[in-house]
Amino acid sequence: MAEEPRGLTAAEVAERVARGDVNADVDVKTRSVRQIVRENVCTLFNAINVILAVFVLFTGSYKNMLFMIVIVSNVIIGIVQEIRSKITTDRLSIVAGSHATVVRDGARKEVALHDIVRDDVVVLGRGDQVPADAVVVSGEADVNESLLTGESNLIKKAPGAELMSGSFVNAGTVCARVVHVGHENYAAKISAEAKQHKKVNSEIMNSLNGIIKFVSCVIFPVGALLFARMFFSGEGVALDQAILSTVAALVGMIPEGLILLTSTVLAVAVVRLAKSKVLVQQLYCIETLARVDTLCLDKTGTITTGAMEVAAVVPVEGADAGELDRALASLAAADDDPNETAQAVAAYYAARPAVRPLAPVRTVPFSSDKKWSGAAFEGRAYVMGAGRFVMGDAFDAFEGQAGELAATARVLAVARAEGFDADGAIVGAPALLGFVCIHDQIRATAAQTIGYFKDQGVTVNVISGDDPRTVAGIAAQVGVDGADEYVDATTLETPEQVADAVRRYHVFGRVKPEQKKQFVIALQEQGHVVAMTGDGVNDTLALKQADCSVAMAAGSDAARNVAQLVLVDNDFASMPKVVAEGRRSINNLQRSASLFLVKTLLSMSLAVLFVLLPWQYPFQPIQMTLISAFTIGIPSFVLALEPNRDRIRGRFLENVIVKSIPGAVCAVLGVLAVNAVGRLALGLGYGQVSTLCVLLVAWVGVMLIVRLSVPFTPIRSALLVVVVGGTVLGATLFHGLFGIVPFTVPMAVLFAACAVAAAALFHWLYGVLGRWHEARLAREA
């Protein structure tokens, strides 16, 4: 290595700091704890409930504020889960080096990455990550730029060559002068779009938000009308009673328990996945991945491990296979500073102890000019490198064989030579012994994992920056459909060409970072739900664009922080577990959500009707708490945590409403019948009518639980006993707390008649709507 540059002086460093030419910290950051807390607390959903709680507080009836327990629990779960993910992600980020060696005033010193200034001379050796864009001023090194470009091949860097921030030095040592700092760096430009927190495109979340937005538009106008009708109608309804009845109607409209249930179920899935070393950074991405129909994989680091391995050792015709093995083993053993290729050859022969390497007497290191390395042994010499550079024109005779091998791997020629001259050049005409084929090491579980997604009807696309022939060869080995037809992305120049290509092909090579994002957009515009996996800065744009993004923990900070899922053990085989958890969560949530929607539909319908009817709204907030606890809350949590790996069918909101309508219709008609008959025909008071309405709605809830529990299991049978027993207990031993009055004979007769009629109507409606929905799903399949 040439004499080391003196670097900047202290005065020059100070001058650049004053100008702002400093490598300011531009890494993608996770949200702060303050942001997480603010986003979970300051929501429209929470604001509505707090306003209603304030009205109840005004009446002094504190027991009617119990609904706020659900709101607080939901906020706590969201905050705890997101802070937990933040802490884990920040810990993963510490893996990257935080210091660099620079030359200042002729001496080496370590400085923090953000203290590097423009024109600093950085010293980079094997394993170091390039901290800022720079130009090599002395030395040579092999650099891995796969995190930036997707290319897994090592790039030789000599004086004058550019080094991109984020790449790694694989072998050799260089001194390089920093030319870009901070946001000017190549890696910073690529990851700039990833800096903003990405919201998940979740059907469940969108459905819940849609419900809340709709409710928020009608809740206060309806509430004001209902309160005015009761308080100013002259019926003698006291102010406190009018407020409580109004709040009961409005609280019932809001599916607050469903929000909590969703957060809890997904949080349980997060805990389960954590045991499988999968970090979930956004709760709802579990659902999104379960709905994915197209999976885009980056080859390096996903299908492959990122390490190199020997795919084959192929002698040419007439050559001695034993000598070829001995030559390769000897060359690998003679390399004092082996790069990934030499390491792969050494590992290959370490598993073959019968091949004993020769003792070297001279070595000729690899250089980007020669494109080969060699070593002399007692009585012979061998070289390994690019065939054309090793053999010259004599390589024409072997071009065909080398071309066939190059379809799936990088091919190096191995030849016997007479020796080397003083300048390290080959003496005489080398004799070709054969070829060694090197390719990325394929993960042992890759084929099985891709097979799983194919069985589930998910289309798998492989998108890589590597040579398309190499990508296609690896894709074929792991079972990707259509791997025999591939596309060189450099030929795709227009959005129309990209859209046509992603519609017809599944293997793409030479893909630029910007094109990966274009591919994802094109698939989304064609109606697909797209998941993207990757580990490099070059993947961040596509990861952010995808509906669900998955990163490897060993990848770049930018990829990890923009991804919604991080595979901590860097094993793509964890993906089926995520899909299974998503299916369990979504299918069970759909089943349980119908219980909540019954209350929402019931409360909205009754609130509007009782604005027009001459009676006081028949519920208080504490009574809605009794109904919510035993006929909605407890059963929904039990049903939502059961095993369920069925494929997801239909849309969330439609699936839920179809099962909710029968219960809501029966409950509304039952409440109207109780009020009409009870008040007009039987002369019942408000407390008696309210009691009948509460128990009738509970009865409808029990019927829906029965239908949702079919086929019954021991757990579901025990659940039904708890639901009925808890409701009865609340209506008897704790009747004072819940505003339940003792039954009279007229009340018992009216309840029995309404219960029988509701049961008959409920089961008929449930059957009719169920058959219609099944036929609709069959048509869409």
Side-chain angles (χ1 to χ4, degrees), residues 494-504 518 522-523 525-526:
T494 66
E496 292 74 21
Q497 290 176 327
V498 170
D500 182 62
V502 298
R503 185 182 296 110
R504 298 167 52 195
Q518 292 173 6
L523 288 166
E525 289 177 346
Q526 293 170 16

Side-chain angles (χ1 to χ4, degrees), residues 10 59 90 121 169 171 199 307 320 388 400 433 488 523 559 561 570 585:
T59 70
D90 290 345
V121 173
V169 176
K199 295 294 184 182
D320 182 355
R388 182 65 60 182
L433 298 176
D488 185 333
L523 288 166
N561 289 340
N570 306 300
S585 301

Side-chain angles (χ1 to χ4, degrees), residues 445-499:
T445 55
Q448 179 182 357
T449 305
I450 288 175
Y452 167 83
F453 281 105
K454 288 167 57 179
D455 292 342
Q456 300 304 313
V458 177
T459 301
V460 178
N461 292 340
V462 181
I463 301 175
S464 174
D466 267 351
D467 186 299
R469 295 179 301 174
T470 304
V471 179
I474 291 177
Q477 291 183 59
V478 296
V480 174
D481 289 336
D484 55 327
E485 297 183 89
Y486 53 83
V487 176
D488 185 333
T490 59
T491 64
L492 305 177
E493 299 178 353
T494 66
E496 292 74 21
Q497 290 176 327
V498 170

Side-chain angles (χ1 to χ4, degrees), residues 567-648:
L567 306 183
V568 178
D569 61 355
N570 306 300
D571 191 353
F572 179 56
S574 301
M575 293 282 282
K577 297 176 184 176
V578 182
V579 174
E581 279 298 325
R583 288 183 174 177
R584 181 194 61 78
S585 301
I586 298 170
N587 286 321
N588 288 339
L589 276 174
Q590 287 183 160
R591 181 170 57 184
S592 299
S594 57
L595 295 169
F596 291 93
L597 264 292
V598 167
K599 188 187 74 167
T600 297
L601 295 175
L602 165 69
S603 298
M604 292 185 68
S605 302
L606 290 180
V608 174
L609 290 171
F610 273 82
V611 169
L612 307 174
L613 295 172
W615 306 308
Q616 182 181 349
Y617 191 80
F619 298 103
Q620 294 187 9
I622 190 66
Q623 293 172 331
M624 299 305 293
T625 301
L626 173 66
I627 295 171
S628 297
F630 288 104
T631 63
I632 300 175
I634 294 175
S636 65
F637 273 86
V638 172
L639 295 175
L641 296 176
E642 288 191 313
N644 191 328
R645 295 197 176 189
D646 297 337
R647 289 191 183 186
I648 298 169

Side-chain angles (χ1 to χ4, degrees), residues 349-361:
Y349 285 104
R352 294 163 176 77
V355 181
R356 296 187 177 182
L358 302 171
V361 295

